[in-house]
Amino acid sequence: MRHCPECRRPFGKQSDVCPDCWEPLVAGEPGRRDSLALLYRTTALYEADLLQAALADDGIPCLRVGSPLDPPVGPNSRVMRIYVRADTLVVARDLLASLLGPHAEADR
């Protein structure tokens, strides 16, 4: 089974591109558009704020879990996690690398 990564419609072997949006078809079942993927994990409040604001500026919805007010998970550290929709993960990772540099690891 193949599907369109843009509109999520499934197709058989008869097509190579989606007739509606002209996207090349990819193998596998379409995933849920609303499933979340972990983009980034940090203990630095400024990194979380910067990334969340940049994602919003680019129109990428995100969910931030954790806060500096949460109980510590280690000595003086609190982990914040930024989630994005699974279908926007690739674009969000590119944005992450452009903001925090090549040393920034997605989902660290």
Side-chain angles (χ1 to χ4, degrees):
M1 176 67 66
R2 297 186 305 164
H3 72 278
C4 174
E6 184 64 29
C7 65
R8 319 302 277 175
R9 287 182 44 204
F11 292 92
K13 295 182 180 182
Q14 72 276 12
S15 300
D16 290 327
V17 296
C18 177
D20 293 328
C21 56
W22 295 98
E23 287 290 319
L25 301 181
V26 295
E29 296 289 325
R32 289 183 45 183
R33 191 178 275 276
D34 60 348
S35 61
L36 295 178
L38 179 61
L39 172 65
Y40 193 63
R41 192 181 336 212
T42 185
T43 57
L45 180 60
Y46 74 93
E47 284 183 348
D49 287 344
L50 176 69
L51 182 55
Q52 189 173 15
L55 289 166
D57 286 347
D58 278 12
I60 301 171
C62 69
L63 172 67
R64 180 168 157 178
V65 178
S67 155
L69 302 176
D70 286 345
V73 294
N76 299 322
S77 67
R78 290 168 173 87
V79 176
M80 291 164 282
R81 293 174 302 284
I82 306 285
Y83 292 89
V84 295
R85 286 190 345 225
D87 62 330
T88 63
L89 183 60
V90 172
V91 175
R93 282 185 176 158
D94 290 342
L95 180 61
L96 173 66
S98 70
L99 286 174
L100 302 178
H103 68 280
E105 296 177 27
D107 183 22
R108 63 177 176 157

